[in-house]
Amino acid sequence: MESLIPVLKWVGGKRQLINKFVPYFPDTPFEMYCEPFLGGGAVLFFLHPDKAVVNDVNPELINFYAVLKSDCEALIEELSTYEYNKEFFYTLRNLDRDAKSFAKLSNLKKAARTYYLNRTCFNGLYRVNSIGLFNSPFGSYKTFNLYPDRLRMLSSYLNSANVQFTNGDFEKLIDYLPDNSFVYLDPPYDPVSKTAFFTSYSQTGFSKEDQIRLKNFCDRLNERGIRFMLSNSATSFIKELYKDYDQKFFNANRSINSKATNRGGVKEILVRNYK
């Protein structure tokens, strides 16, 4: 199967860096692929492994992928009825303001909402507030691109492979993994400055303490001989935190940001426990 194209826009997505990553993926087979911070899924869909467990703390994101796998045609049919205008966007966005009513929505309608908002919100900036409500504004694009063929291709892969979805904290993934696994970690990045702080993919955020927990998780993987590769911003804190592991550095362009002044080149680090 050829590499697949992700359908969700995601802050920090790795689609643009995939070709740079290729020389650093494991050069021997692995039994299971694991991705604790799934996001847009660029690496999953590039590698398209036969067996995988993928996770994200955002329940609406995981629900979208689950519905894409189980009911792709119904998802496309639902989305094809959606109007593209500001009024409809805010009507759809505001559905989660009433928790009881939102809870009654079917998984299909929630998945369609996630996809529509992601593809039409301002600059593709998926963002939630402190109580978990989607709060990115309308994007004013020329049109809403549904991409039904891409959706079908991803659904076909998810149904042909053994891909398990989980929704929760990354640490629990250790229990799913055989020793011959490969884990790719793409957490919310350590901020390069106080004004560049963005971890609002979920209401819980991702703190310095979480970065340290993640490093300890990587140490546990290493102790078991499980190969891992991790991406992050190349801050002094992250470089020092992973000083005992192999480090490579890349320049990446970040075009998805709420402020134009925060877009552009940033330096990223790639950490591995294997050569």
Side-chain angles (χ1 to χ4, degrees), residues 166-183:
T166 66
N167 168 226
D169 187 76
F170 63 86
E171 286 193 280
K172 71 176 185 179
L173 272 293
I174 194 92
D175 297 327
Y176 289 83
L177 303 178
D179 290 341
N180 185 22
S181 296
F182 171 54
V183 182

Side-chain angles (χ1 to χ4, degrees), residues 17 20-21 24 232-235 238-239 246-252 266-271:
L17 286 175
K20 293 182 180 181
F21 282 5
Y24 303 105
N232 213 315
S233 52
T235 62
I238 294 297
K239 288 188 285 187
D246 180 71
Q247 299 184 0
K248 297 290 186 293
F249 300 93
F250 300 93
N251 290 318
V266 296
K267 197 164 189 178
E268 300 194 4
I269 188 172
L270 197 67
V271 176

Side-chain angles (χ1 to χ4, degrees), residues 97-272:
R97 273 55 177 175
D98 185 334
K100 289 184 178 180
S101 295
F102 187 72
K104 294 178 182 179
L105 289 179
S106 67
N107 288 337
L108 173 65
K109 288 189 178 296
K110 288 181 179 179
R113 174 181 179 270
T114 295
Y115 185 71
Y116 178 89
L117 294 179
N118 176 265
R119 300 296 313 183
T120 59
C121 71
F122 177 71
N123 210 40
L125 181 66
Y126 189 99
R127 183 185 65 195
V128 298
N129 61 20
S130 61
I131 57 174
L133 305 179
F134 186 93
N135 66 351
S136 293
F138 184 62
S140 298
Y141 300 103
K142 291 182 179 179
T143 186
F144 163 49
N145 291 316
L146 179 54
Y147 295 121
D149 291 341
R150 293 184 187 181
L151 290 168
R152 290 186 179 104
M153 288 181 68
L154 294 186
S155 181
S156 178
Y157 161 66
L158 293 173
N159 280 284
S160 64
N162 179 4
V163 181
Q164 180 177 355
F165 298 101
T166 66
N167 168 226
D169 187 76
F170 63 86
E171 286 193 280
K172 71 176 185 179
L173 272 293
I174 194 92
D175 297 327
Y176 289 83
L177 303 178
D179 290 341
N180 185 22
S181 296
F182 171 54
V183 182
Y184 172 63
L185 304 117
D186 187 27
Y189 277 16
D190 186 48
V192 297
S193 69
K194 291 182 179 179
T195 58
F197 189 77
F198 182 87
T199 57
S200 302
Y201 313 96
S202 71
Q203 66 190 85
T204 55
F206 207 80
S207 65
K208 280 282 196 292
E209 290 72 21
D210 290 316
Q211 297 286 1
I212 293 171
R213 278 200 308 124
L214 180 57
K215 194 271 182 179
N216 292 334
F217 177 81
C218 290
D219 289 341
R220 292 169 62 195
L221 294 175
N222 189 58
E223 289 167 2
R224 286 186 52 189
I226 295 175
R227 289 169 287 180
F228 76 82
M229 188 168 86
L230 174 140
S231 302
N232 213 315
S233 52
T235 62
S236 298
F237 172 72
I238 294 297
K239 288 188 285 187
E240 175 65 21
L241 194 61
Y242 290 94
K243 63 183 179 181
D244 296 328
Y245 294 107
D246 180 71
Q247 299 184 0
K248 297 290 186 293
F249 300 93
F250 300 93
N251 290 318
N253 291 317
R254 289 290 168 233
S255 59
I256 298 179
N257 200 295
S258 59
K259 295 182 179 179
T261 54
N262 287 344
R263 301 171 203 156
V266 296
K267 197 164 189 178
E268 300 194 4
I269 188 172
L270 197 67
V271 176
R272 299 183 301 162

Side-chain angles (χ1 to χ4, degrees), residues 3 14-23 25 42-43 46:
S3 298
K14 291 299 174 290
R15 186 177 174 188
Q16 62 158 310
L17 286 175
I18 283 291
N19 289 334
K20 293 182 180 181
F21 282 5
V22 169
F25 289 131
V43 175
F46 178 82

